[in-house]
Amino acid sequence: MLPFKLIYSDAYYLPIGEHVFPAEKYKRIHDRLLARNIAEPKDFLTPEPATDQDILLVHKPEYVNKLRTGTLSPREQMELEIPYSKELVDAFWLAAGGSILAARQALADGVAFNIGGGFHHAFPDHGEGFCMIHDVAVAIRRMQRDDKIRTAMTVDCDVHQGNGTAAIFAGTRTASALLPSASASTLHPSAHDLSKRSPALPGKIRGAHAGEVFTISLHQHNNYPLWKPPSSIDVDLPDGIEDDDYLAWLDNALSSGLRQFEPDLLCYVAGADPYREDQLGGLALTIDGLKRRDELVFRVARAKNIPVMVTYAGGYAQNVEDTVTIHCNTVLGAKEVFAPKS
Ligand SMILES: [Zn+2]
């Protein structure tokens, strides 16, 4: 039995038809975890859908109303990039409920997974990039409302920048702490060490302090979204970056963030799309490198006693089995790092 819970429902399936987003991945991950004896049936918890009240902690009433009544404009439907349906709305409400439950379980057990979620491109007033509802933000706001946490940190390792996350939590940044992005490369001295180590690496770290929610995003610079609203720390990675450089930047961003900020909860957005065979990504991580990435996040959180909730976000490998492997490995990584010390 795992020392933590996995939140999952067959109804996580997104009814979007033939699409680059492999909507069946959630069930495949669930089935693989069981088939390989990584998890047992009793490791899984079934979520309830979020309530409209929960969704409204993040999203604008006008937008929620449009989703509920099926009255998105053609432009809004286009931006979403997945076909609207009442069933799709239900699947997103359930994913948000799953992230709420994962956050609660993480606070109880030290770590928990939503075998879904991570819809980091959703904004308060619109959805885009396959993301209708920002489940992670909803979970953070719900935990804050319930007085279970005061602060949170998002660590977004999807290949695409967490634009929705950055926009949602931008308002919580304290104006006095904002740094001009031009000087942000001085944020962390080892950013210089790193550039000395690999001078050809044109990656860039930029950042500003946060209020109650600190947002970190590591992403490919030359990729969607074109407009990247500032996170607390953005690491703009060059095309084709490989395992070791990626891990150095991640280590750098985590230590910088955790020097500035003490979160009560860490929300890890474990996108599978930095993988070198991803159809929508241009980085070159290996499956092993992605597992090391997961372990790094878990080790850092465990060393500082910060509860971690995991969500899955994107993954568009040419072979969907690779995406499933990468996501299952995240559970394995947590199992290794969080195993009770005997
Ligand atoms: Zn992505």
Side-chain angles (χ1 to χ4, degrees):
M1 194 170 166
L2 291 171
F4 50 84
K5 294 296 179 197
L6 309 171
I7 318 303
Y8 171 77
S9 165
D10 284 347
Y12 277 176
Y13 177 80
L14 301 176
I16 53 177
E18 195 62 26
H19 196 282
V20 68
F21 189 99
E24 73 283 13
K25 77 173 181 179
Y26 306 120
K27 183 166 170 34
R28 288 205 194 198
I29 296 163
H30 167 266
D31 293 353
R32 172 97 68 90
L33 289 170
L34 289 174
R36 302 270 168 96
N37 290 318
I38 298 167
E40 300 173 24
K42 62 183 174 209
D43 294 321
F44 290 90
L45 297 178
T46 307
E48 294 290 327
T51 63
D52 284 5
Q53 206 182 7
D54 294 328
I55 301 294
L56 289 164
L57 294 170
V58 171
H59 294 279
K60 300 270 188 221
E62 298 75 19
Y63 177 53
V64 173
N65 188 51
K66 283 181 193 173
L67 293 174
R68 281 298 192 194
T69 55
T71 49
L72 291 176
S73 70
R75 189 200 153 88
E76 287 168 325
Q77 297 211 29
M78 198 187 69
E79 269 187 320
L80 198 52
E81 296 188 83
I82 42 177
Y84 175 90
S85 67
K86 174 76 183 66
E87 293 69 32
L88 188 66
V89 172
D90 291 341
F92 274 96
W93 255 246
L94 186 61
S99 287
I100 291 171
L101 182 54
R104 200 177 287 137
Q105 284 298 135
L107 294 171
D109 299 334
V111 61
F113 280 66
N114 188 6
I115 306 294
F119 296 114
H120 59 160
H121 301 310
F123 285 71
D125 63 351
H126 74 278
E128 60 177 69
F130 320 151
C131 301
M132 181 185 277
I133 289 294
H134 201 308
D135 57 290
V136 178
V138 169
I140 290 171
R141 289 303 189 215
R142 175 65 193 270
M143 291 306 108
Q144 289 177 325
R145 200 207 66 186
D146 293 350
D147 282 328
K148 296 204 178 287
I149 62 167
R150 193 178 63 80
T151 60
M153 175 180 279
T154 60
V155 177
D156 189 337
C157 290
D158 190 273
V159 79
H160 304 102
Q161 195 239 10
N163 55 349
T165 321
I168 288 165
F169 295 116
T172 69
R173 256 173 240 142
T174 48
S176 60
L178 277 169
L179 300 172
S181 61
S183 68
S185 60
T186 60
L187 197 62
H188 185 22
S190 63
H192 295 292
D193 301 343
L194 190 75
S195 57
K196 262 180 230 148
R197 188 175 69 76
S198 72
L201 190 68
K204 198 167 78 213
I205 186 165
R206 54 196 165 89
H209 291 270
E212 70 215 21
V213 180
F214 193 101
T215 55
I216 297 177
S217 179
L218 253 84
H219 48 263
Q220 184 189 4
H221 180 65
N222 295 320
N223 204 327
Y224 168 88
L226 189 60
W227 177 63
K228 298 174 175 64
S231 311
S232 305
I233 293 177
D234 282 295
V235 183
D236 299 321
L237 297 169
D239 298 353
I241 197 168
E242 296 182 3
D243 294 344
D244 288 346
D245 283 333
Y246 183 96
L247 293 170
W249 281 110
L250 174 59
D251 194 19
N252 194 334
L254 284 172
S255 47
S256 174
L258 290 170
R259 237 195 338 268
Q260 299 171 61
F261 191 81
E262 286 181 29
D264 298 326
L265 175 68
L266 192 154
C267 302
Y268 177 36
V269 180
D273 48 14
Y275 179 45
R276 61 181 175 190
E277 288 173 36
D278 196 90
Q279 300 174 82
L280 301 185
L283 300 186
L285 275 74
T286 64
I287 288 178
D288 181 60
L290 286 158
K291 183 156 186 281
R292 287 161 62 207
R293 169 197 74 167
D294 299 336
E295 288 164 357
L296 174 58
V297 173
F298 294 139
R299 272 205 312 277
V300 166
R302 181 156 200 206
K304 295 197 172 274
N305 258 321
I306 305 164
V308 187
M309 80 171 254
V310 183
T311 55
Y312 274 153
Y316 315 93
Q318 276 148 16
N319 179 355
V320 70
E321 288 305 307
D322 287 346
T323 297
V324 172
T325 299
I326 292 162
H327 286 318
C328 287
N329 281 348
T330 309
V331 178
L332 271 177
K335 192 174 180 176
E336 284 158 20
V337 172
F338 288 92
K341 287 173 185 132
S342 54

